[in-house]
C-alpha cells in the first residue's frame, strides 16, 4: 500500500486514555495470499476478546502490536505515544513498546529460576520484592527457586503471565493463555485476571476459542475472519444471545441432559463453570446433549452458541 495516500490521523488518536491501531499486513495463508487489515481503538482498562477461526490472523495481530512482526503499513498510537507510524518511519522496538505478550508457548528463560524470570522483566529501579508479589498473585510463591522445566504446563503459563505483568505493560496481549489449563485451575486464573483488571485497570486483548472465557474476561469481542474484522460488540451478542444480555450475567455451558417439569415443559441441565444449572430453551431454539450454549443467568434461558456477524 502507498503511504502517501494515507489520510491524516483522526481526532482523538493522541488521547492518553486510548490505544488506536490501524495495521495492514500481507500474509500467506494456507489457501493463498490474505491481507490482515484492522482498524480498532480501545479505551484504557478495556478488555477485548479476539475471536475467529484458525488462521484468521489473531496471533499475527498480537505480534504486530507487540512489534515482533513488521507491518506493511500502519500506525499504533498507544496512550498518547506513537509506537508505529510507517508514514513517518517510526517503529519502536518491542522493548520500547509497553506491550506484554503471553504466548501459547510461554518463551520462558530456561536457565533462570521462576523468580529470576519475573525479576528479569521488572522495569529498572523497581523493587525486587515486586517479583514475589506477582508470584504470590499467580500462586507460584512456593516454587520461586525452581527452573521452568520443572513446572507443569499450567504453572509455566502462570509464570509467563507473572513475567508479562512484571513489565507493567500498558497493553497486555494474551494468546490463548489458559489453553493448557482445565477446570478449576483455569477458572482460578481467570478470576485472577478479572481481579487484575479491577485493581490495575489493565487494558488487554485476549485471543480465545473458549466462549466462557470470552464472556468472563472481556466486555467487548471482535470477530476476525480472513484478516478482516467482521463483528465488534458485546461478547454475548457475538455468540448469538439476543435477549437479556444487558441486564443479566451470561454464562457459557454444555448441555448434559434434560428433564420434564410438572407443567410438561422441558428444562435443560447445563454444566457451566463446574456447576449444574437448569434453564429452558429460548424461543425457537432446540438443543441437544453435548451442545455448547449460552445461558442468561437471571432468566435462566439458554440458547445455542453461534457466531454472529450482523451485530
Ligand atoms: N510472517 C508471516 N508471513 C506470512 N504469512 C504469515 C506470517 N505469519 C503467519 N502467517 C500466516 O497468516 C495466517 C494467520 O495466522 P495466525 O497465526 O495469525 O492465525 P490465528 O488466527 O492466530 O490462528 P490460530 O487460531 O490457529 O492460532 C496463517 O495462514 C499463517 O500461515
Amino acid at each position: 500500500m502507498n503511504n502517501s495516500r494515507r489520510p491524516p490521523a483522526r481526532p482523538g488518536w493522541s488521547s492518553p486514555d486510548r490505544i488506536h491501531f490501524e495495521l495492514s499486513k500481507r500474509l500467506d495463508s494456507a489457501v493463498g495470499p490474505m491481507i490482515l487489515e484492522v482498524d480498532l481503538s480501545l479505551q484504557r482498562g478495556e478488555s477485548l476478546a479476539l475471536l475467529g477461526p484458525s488462521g484468521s490472523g489473531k496471533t499475527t495481530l498480537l505480534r504486530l502490536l507487540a512489534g515482533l512482526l513488521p507491518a506493511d503499513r500502519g500506525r499504533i498510537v498507544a496512550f498518547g505515544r506513537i509506537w508505529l507510524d510507517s508514514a513517518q518511519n517510526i517503529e519502536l522496538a518491542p522493548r520500547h513498546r509497553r506491550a506484554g505478550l503471553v504466548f501459547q508457548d510461554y518463551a520462558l528463560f530456561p536457565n533462570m529460576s521462576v523468580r529470576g524470570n519475573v525479576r528479569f522483566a521488572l522495569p529498572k529501579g523497581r523493587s525486587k520484592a515486586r517479583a514475589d508479589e506477582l508470584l504470590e498473585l499467580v500462586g507460584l510463591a512456593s516454587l520461586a527457586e525452581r527452573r521452568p522445566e520443572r513446572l507443569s504446563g499450567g504453572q509455566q503459563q502462570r509464570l509467563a503471565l507473572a513475567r508479562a505483568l512484571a513489565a507493567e505493560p500498558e497493553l497486555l496481549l494474551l494468546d490463548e493463555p489458559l489453553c493448557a489449563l482445565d477446570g478449576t485451575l483455569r477458572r482460578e486464573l481467570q478470576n485472577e485476571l478479572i481481579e487484575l483488571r479491577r485493581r490495575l485497570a489493565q487494558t488487554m486483548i485476549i485471543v480465545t476459542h473458549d466462549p466462557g472465557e470470552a464472556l468472563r474476561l472481556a466486555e467487548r469481542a471482535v470477530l476476525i475472519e480472513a484478516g478482516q474484522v467482521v463483528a465488534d460488540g458485546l461478547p454475548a451478542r457475538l455468540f448469538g444471545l439476543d435477549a437479556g444480555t444487558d441486564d443479566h450475567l451470561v454464562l457459557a455451558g454444555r448441555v448434559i441432559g434434560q428433564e420434564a417439569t410438572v407443567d410438561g415443559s422441558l428444562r435443560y441441565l447445563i454444566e457451566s463453570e463446574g456447576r449444574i444449572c437448569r434453564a429452558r430453551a429460548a424461543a425457537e431454539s432446540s438443543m441437544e446433549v453435548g451442545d455448547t450454549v449460552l445461558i442468561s443467568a437471571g432468566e435462566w434461558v439458554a440458547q445455542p452458541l453461534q457466531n454472529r456477524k450482523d451485530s
Side-chain angles (χ1 to χ4, degrees):
M1 285 196 204
N2 186 344
N3 289 333
S4 61
R5 282 192 280 123
R6 204 154 59 90
R10 291 190 301 270
W13 269 73
S14 57
S15 163
D17 295 321
R18 298 193 77 82
I19 174 167
H20 292 248
F21 47 91
E22 52 173 25
L23 293 163
S24 174
K25 174 88 181 167
R26 186 183 188 280
L27 298 172
D28 300 313
S29 82
V31 290
M34 170 178 111
I35 307 285
L36 174 68
E37 195 124 52
V38 286
D39 180 350
L40 290 169
S41 166
L42 272 78
Q43 183 110 26
R44 188 185 288 280
E46 194 170 350
S47 175
L48 178 85
L50 205 53
L51 315 170
S54 182
S56 55
K58 305 178 298 295
T59 298
T60 304
L61 175 56
L62 298 196
R63 297 184 72 214
L64 291 172
L65 287 167
L68 298 175
L69 191 68
D72 295 340
R73 180 195 72 87
R75 179 162 41 194
I76 306 171
V77 184
F79 312 107
R81 248 178 99 225
I82 300 175
W83 287 2
L84 172 76
D85 191 337
S86 54
Q88 296 188 64
N89 279 327
I90 299 172
E91 185 166 6
L92 296 194
R95 68 182 183 284
H96 295 307
R97 299 183 187 197
R98 300 211 34 212
L101 175 58
V102 181
F103 293 96
Q104 285 156 320
D105 61 1
Y106 327 130
L108 299 168
F109 301 124
N111 55 342
M112 288 185 192
S113 66
V114 163
R115 180 182 284 120
N117 264 274
V118 181
R119 280 190 178 174
F120 186 82
L122 291 172
K124 280 202 178 62
R126 196 80 160 90
S127 158
K128 294 205 166 42
R130 176 71 183 146
D132 291 309
E133 278 173 30
L134 286 166
L135 288 177
E136 191 76 48
L137 179 73
V138 299
L140 289 179
S142 61
L143 302 176
E145 304 301 331
R146 279 206 187 169
R147 292 285 163 105
E149 66 188 11
R150 292 190 52 226
L151 299 179
S152 71
Q155 289 164 342
Q156 290 187 21
Q157 268 183 337
R158 286 159 170 253
L159 176 55
L161 180 61
R163 199 182 58 176
L165 292 170
E168 297 174 6
E170 288 196 290
L171 177 65
L172 184 62
L173 302 167
L174 303 169
D175 194 353
E176 298 193 62
L178 312 181
C179 63
L181 309 177
D182 47 32
T184 315
L185 206 56
R186 189 173 180 126
R187 276 193 299 282
E188 272 175 23
L189 209 53
Q190 286 173 355
N191 288 342
E192 277 159 18
L193 283 170
I194 291 166
E195 178 63 13
L196 259 169
R197 275 200 61 215
R198 203 183 56 75
R199 274 183 20 211
L200 308 177
Q202 179 73 61
T203 314
M204 55 185 175
I205 301 181
I206 176 164
V207 171
T208 179
H209 288 283
D210 174 353
E213 194 158 279
L215 290 167
R216 296 193 81 207
L217 296 183
E219 63 217 316
R220 177 178 163 201
V222 158
L223 176 64
I224 295 193
E225 284 182 6
Q228 309 290 313
V229 172
V230 294
D232 181 347
L234 284 174
R237 292 221 193 282
L238 255 71
F239 289 129
L241 198 71
D242 285 325
T245 49
D246 294 332
D247 303 328
H248 299 295
L249 175 68
V250 179
L251 303 167
R254 186 172 294 273
V255 178
I256 56 170
Q258 50 180 239
E259 61 187 18
T261 61
V262 279
D263 65 8
S265 61
L266 268 185
R267 283 277 183 280
Y268 290 85
L269 299 173
I270 299 166
E271 193 277 322
S272 171
E273 306 197 358
R275 270 169 280 171
I276 294 173
C277 51
R278 291 173 167 75
R280 64 188 163 80
E284 292 175 25
S285 52
S286 64
M287 299 179 295
E288 288 178 13
V289 170
D291 283 355
T292 300
V293 296
L294 293 185
I295 315 148
S296 177
E299 301 168 331
W300 299 107
V301 175
Q303 78 183 46
L305 183 81
Q306 52 185 276
N307 273 340
R308 274 168 78 98
K309 299 179 192 169
D310 57 349
S311 44

